[in-house]
Amino acid sequence: MSNKIERNKDDFEMKGFTEEILFSGLSMASENVYLFKTDIENNYAVWSERAVEYFGLPEDYRHRMYHLWMEHVHPDDLEGYCEDIFAVMQGKKTKHYCQYRARNAEGKYVWVECVGGIQRNAEGKPFFVGVMTRLDVTGKYDTVTNCLSFQQFYLRVFSKEHSILLLGFDGFRKAVNNLGYTRSNGLLNLLGSILIAHFGSANTYRMTGDELMAVLPVMSNEELEFLFHQIQKEFKSACLNREFQISIGFSGGAAYYDPRTESKEDIIRHLEHSLEYSKHLEKESFTVFSSVIEEKHQRVGKIKYALAAAIKDGFSGFSLVYQPVFRSGDHRINGVEALLRFRDVELGNVSPVEFVPILEEGGMIREVGLWVAGKVMKQKAIWETKHPGLMVGFNVSLKQLHCDDFVKEIMRLIREYRINPCEVVLELTESCKMDDPVELRKILMPLREMGVEIYLDDFGIEQSNFTAVKELPITGVKIDHSFVRVMVGTGDTRKDRVNRAIVTSINYMCKQIGLKIVIEGVETEEIDRIVSDMDIEYLQGYHYSFPLTAEALEKSGFDIQEKQYGGRQ
C-alpha cells in the first residue's frame, strides 16, 4: 500500500501538481471559504488569495500574520480566539475550532468560523493548517433580524447556567395582512436590533415565525420582568419614530436553564409554555416558567384530548344550559341564552373559560358550534307551541362565521324546524374583531335579511365594538359585566361614577339608533337597584336566575319569580 501511495505522489510531482499549486487551486474553489497554512517554526503564513483580498491584508502579511490578524479580530471576541489558538499550539487541544467576528477590507465585522489543527510533513515539520468560512453567507444568521438562526442555538455548547428570554408578537398575522411581508419584517428587524444592542449578536436567536430569543446571565424573576418592560418601551418608541401604521406589541416568557440537568428540548418547551401562558393571560404580558405553568399546560393537553374524544363519540360530555334574560319592567322571561358546558369522566366539569379557547385554537369550534346550533333550534321548536315569542340566543365566534357552510347551516336549521327567525339571536363574541368589517358584513347580511337578530356580546371592552355597531347589521348589544360589577363596592366613588356614566351613555346611544340593550352581570340586589333606575330594557344575571337545564325551565313554566332561582351555582 505504501508503495502505491509513493507512486501516486511521484505521478503528481511528475505532472506538475506540487503542493503549492494544489493549495492555490483549492484556494480558488470558493468565494467564501478560505484556506490557510502557517509554518510554525518560521512564523510564515500563506492564505487564500481571496481571503487576502476580502480582509484587505497588506502585501507583506506572510511574515507577520499572527499579530496582524489579531488586529482584525473583534475586541469582544479576541480573548476567546487567543485562548483557543494557544491551547492548540501548546498541545492542550488537537483541533482549532472558533467562531468570531473579523474586520473585512470595508471595515465591517463579519462572523467567521475557523477549523484547523497541527499537521506535520514527511520531515516531521509542524504546520498549522485549516479552513475559514464566512458565516454571513452560510445561513448562520437570520437575514431578517440579523440574529443567529435557531439551529445555532442547538449547536452552541453551554457550560453554565443561564436565564433565557423568549419574545413573541401578539397578532403578527394581522401585521402581515396590514403592512405586507416587507414592512412586517421590519418589525422583526427592529426587535432584533434592540435585542442585539442589549445582549450582543452572539446571544440572540431568531426562532420560528415571529419569536426571538436571548440568552442572558442568571437573573431573578424581578430583573427579567424589568428587562422585558424596558425592551417593550424601547420597541414602542422606535415604532413611533419609524411611523409604523399599526399598533402591535409582544408578550414574553422566560426560563432558567441548567445544562447539567436539562436538555435544550426541555428549555425550549419551558420557554414556549411560558410564552403561551402569557398570551392567554393578557396581551403584552410576561411570565417566568414554573411548575404551575407546566401543570397548566399538561391540563390543556388533557382537555384538548378529552374534547377531541368527546366530539368523535357523538359529542358525549357536551350539554347546554339556558340563562334567562328578563324584561326590566315586570321581570318576566323574555328569552334565554344557550351556554355550552363540558364534563369529562377524568377531569370532571371543565369551565368554558378553559375549553372554549381550546376549541377555537384547535379548530374544533366549527363542529361543536354546528352541534350547538342544531340542539338550540331543536329545543326552540319544542318550546315554540307552549312559549311562543321566546327569544333563543347562542354565541358565535369569528372562526365559525368564516366557515363556508356555517351561515347556510343556520338558515337550513331555521327552515327545517320551522322557527320564526326573528326569535333567534346570534351573539357575536369578543373574538369577532373588526379586521375586515366589509367581509364580516357580507357574511352576516343573509342572516339579518332572513330576520335573525344579531347582538354584540361583551360590549364596551373593545374600541372596535363601536366600529361594529356602525359597520355591521347589529340589532342589539350586551353590556359587559365588568362595568356592572364595579359600579358598587369598589371604595372608589369616582370609579363607580365613571362606570355608571359609561353604562348610561351606551344605553342612550342604543336608544337613539334603535338597538336593543341587555345588561349582564346583575348579581346583587344593589346592582339590580342601580340598573333599574337606568331604564335598561333587558337584564341578565345570577340575581334573577342562574343557568338552568331545559327541563328545569319547562318545569318552572318559564314563570321564574325574582330570586327564585337566584344565586351562583
Side-chain angles (χ1 to χ4, degrees):
M1 180 67 72
S2 60
N3 290 335
K4 183 177 181 181
I5 294 175
E6 288 298 322
R7 285 197 302 272
N8 288 340
K9 181 179 178 183
D10 292 340
D11 289 343
F12 271 106
E13 291 178 348
M14 287 175 60
K15 294 175 183 177
F17 283 98
T18 63
E19 184 179 320
E20 290 296 327
I21 294 176
L22 185 62
F23 180 89
S24 178
L26 291 174
S27 296
M28 300 298 292
S30 173
E31 291 282 349
N32 310 307
V33 179
Y34 314 121
L35 302 182
F36 60 84
K37 62 178 181 178
T38 303
D39 181 340
I40 298 176
E41 292 180 354
N42 298 313
N43 191 24
Y44 180 82
V46 178
W47 280 41
S48 299
E49 289 184 16
R50 284 175 175 164
V52 174
E53 179 183 348
Y54 180 75
F55 290 106
L57 301 179
E59 293 183 4
D60 61 344
Y61 79 91
R62 296 171 182 258
H63 293 283
R64 56 192 184 98
M65 185 62 198
Y66 177 71
H67 295 288
L68 184 65
W69 186 245
M70 297 246 284
E71 296 176 1
H72 280 258
V73 178
H74 194 287
D76 291 345
D77 303 330
L78 187 59
E79 182 179 351
Y81 169 79
C82 292
E83 182 180 339
D84 194 84
I85 286 286
F86 287 148
V88 174
M89 296 296 187
Q90 296 169 1
K92 295 179 181 179
K93 290 177 61 176
T94 59
K95 183 179 180 181
H96 165 57
Y97 175 81
C98 190
Q99 293 181 350
Y100 57 94
R101 286 163 289 183
R103 189 180 70 249
N104 63 17
E106 297 178 358
K108 296 180 180 179
Y109 284 99
V110 296
W111 280 94
V112 298
E113 180 180 78
C114 283
V115 180
I118 304 296
Q119 300 291 330
R120 296 181 181 274
N121 64 8
E123 292 77 30
K125 188 176 182 178
F127 288 84
F128 182 69
V129 297
V131 178
M132 175 188 291
T133 305
R134 277 177 51 199
L135 295 177
D136 60 322
V137 292
T138 62
K140 176 180 179 179
Y141 285 89
D142 172 58
T143 56
V144 173
T145 63
N146 295 320
C147 298
L148 291 164
S149 67
F150 182 42
Q151 182 185 21
Q152 295 301 313
F153 176 74
Y154 277 95
L155 294 175
R156 179 172 173 177
V157 177
F158 291 89
S159 59
K160 58 183 180 180
E161 301 93 330
H162 290 277
S163 291
I164 302 184
L165 183 67
L166 179 65
L167 306 178
F169 282 95
D170 299 317
F172 191 70
R173 172 53 54 185
K174 180 179 178 181
V176 173
N177 292 338
N178 290 343
L179 300 175
Y181 280 101
T182 301
R183 293 208 69 203
S184 57
N185 279 345
L187 293 169
L188 287 166
N189 175 269
L190 178 57
L191 182 56
S193 65
I194 292 173
L195 292 179
I196 290 172
H198 272 276
F199 316 117
S201 56
N203 294 308
T204 56
Y205 300 83
R206 166 82 183 274
M207 302 281 279
T208 56
D210 60 1
E211 296 177 359
L212 281 76
M213 183 171 66
V215 177
L216 320 173
V218 175
M219 296 183 179
S220 68
N221 292 1
E222 292 76 15
E223 290 172 324
L224 286 168
E225 186 167 7
F226 176 82
L227 186 59
F228 168 77
H229 290 300
Q230 181 65 30
I231 295 169
Q232 236 180 12
K233 184 178 178 181
E234 291 181 29
F235 176 79
K236 289 185 177 181
S237 176
C239 278
L240 289 174
N241 292 335
R242 296 196 186 185
E243 297 182 349
F244 280 104
Q245 299 299 316
I246 188 173
S247 176
I248 188 170
F250 52 84
S251 297
Y256 170 77
Y257 178 41
D258 185 345
R260 297 169 299 183
T261 58
E262 295 173 301
S263 67
K264 289 179 180 174
E265 287 75 14
D266 291 332
I267 191 64
I268 293 299
R269 188 179 72 253
H270 295 168
L271 288 166
E272 291 289 0
H273 290 179
S274 60
L275 178 59
E276 181 184 2
Y277 184 84
S278 293
K279 291 193 172 188
H280 279 255
L281 188 66
E282 186 181 1
K283 287 183 178 180
E284 300 185 30
S285 60
F286 176 77
T287 306
V288 179
F289 179 80
S290 67
S291 59
V292 173
I293 292 176
E294 180 77 357
E295 291 169 5
K296 287 182 180 292
H297 186 83
Q298 290 176 357
R299 177 170 171 80
V300 168
K302 290 179 180 179
I303 294 173
K304 187 181 295 185
Y305 176 82
L307 290 168
I311 293 171
K312 189 175 181 181
D313 191 32
F315 300 93
S316 62
F318 289 100
S319 63
L320 293 178
V321 292
Y322 296 86
Q323 174 90 48
V325 178
F326 295 83
R327 290 192 295 264
S328 60
D330 55 14
H331 286 185
R332 309 294 293 184
I333 293 179
N334 174 73
V336 293
E337 176 189 359
L339 301 172
L340 184 62
R341 298 290 185 260
F342 179 69
R343 179 177 177 80
D344 177 68
V345 175
E346 178 186 348
L347 299 171
N349 291 323
V350 182
S351 168
V353 175
E354 285 189 289
F355 74 76
V356 171
I358 295 173
L359 288 174
E360 291 191 346
E361 291 166 12
M364 297 178 278
I365 193 67
R366 175 190 172 278
E367 295 174 271
V368 176
L370 290 175
W371 177 84
V372 168
K375 296 286 284 186
V376 168
M377 299 304 176
K378 184 177 181 180
Q379 188 61 62
K380 168 64 175 168
I382 294 172
W383 287 335
E384 193 79 1
T385 54
K386 293 183 180 180
H387 309 285
L390 181 74
M391 304 293 293
V392 177
F394 56 98
N395 293 317
V396 176
S397 71
L398 187 61
K399 288 190 177 180
Q400 290 172 268
L401 290 172
H402 279 309
C403 293
D404 293 336
D405 58 348
F406 182 79
V407 169
K408 292 179 181 178
E409 182 64 13
I410 296 296
M411 297 170 73
R412 186 193 69 78
L413 288 168
I414 290 173
R415 295 189 184 101
E416 178 183 342
Y417 287 105
R418 298 180 180 180
I419 294 169
N420 181 356
C422 298
E423 295 172 2
V424 176
V425 180
L426 259 63
E427 298 187 13
L428 306 185
T429 66
E430 63 175 328
S431 67
C432 295
K433 308 296 184 188
M434 293 297 295
D435 290 342
D436 191 348
V438 176
E439 180 63 24
L440 192 52
R441 180 181 178 83
K442 287 181 182 178
I443 294 171
L444 293 171
M445 278 308 297
L447 288 167
R448 184 68 201 110
E449 289 170 353
M450 190 182 195
V452 174
E453 298 280 333
I454 301 175
Y455 281 24
L456 202 60
D457 201 9
D458 305 315
F459 189 81
I461 60 173
E462 289 283 348
Q463 196 173 23
S464 60
N465 287 162
F466 295 95
T467 305
V469 168
K470 185 169 62 174
E471 301 291 343
L472 303 182
I474 302 298
T475 59
V477 303
K478 302 187 76 172
I479 297 181
D480 185 66
H481 58 75
S482 62
F483 291 116
V484 179
R485 291 175 180 173
V486 295
M487 286 197 296
V488 295
T490 64
D492 186 340
T493 55
R494 182 183 180 280
K495 198 172 189 179
D496 293 345
R497 289 198 306 271
V498 169
N499 283 294
R500 292 183 195 184
I502 291 173
V503 174
T504 301
S505 299
I506 293 174
N507 186 36
Y508 176 79
M509 178 195 72
C510 290
K511 289 182 182 299
Q512 291 296 308
I513 58 180
L515 297 181
K516 299 180 180 69
I517 182 169
V518 181
I519 194 161
E520 300 178 293
V522 183
E523 297 189 350
T524 67
E525 192 169 342
E526 190 174 5
I527 294 177
D528 180 39
R529 188 186 70 253
I530 292 171
V531 298
S532 295
D533 293 337
M534 292 181 175
D535 191 27
I536 304 288
E537 284 183 279
Y538 303 107
L539 309 171
Q540 187 177 12
Y542 293 128
H543 179 65
Y544 306 109
S545 174
F546 53 80
L548 303 169
T549 64
E551 293 76 13
L553 274 169
E554 290 172 3
K555 187 177 180 180
S556 73
F558 286 84
D559 188 20
I560 299 174
Q561 298 299 315
E562 185 180 349
K563 301 179 189 176
Q564 181 181 349
Y565 290 94
R568 185 188 299 273
Q569 291 200 2

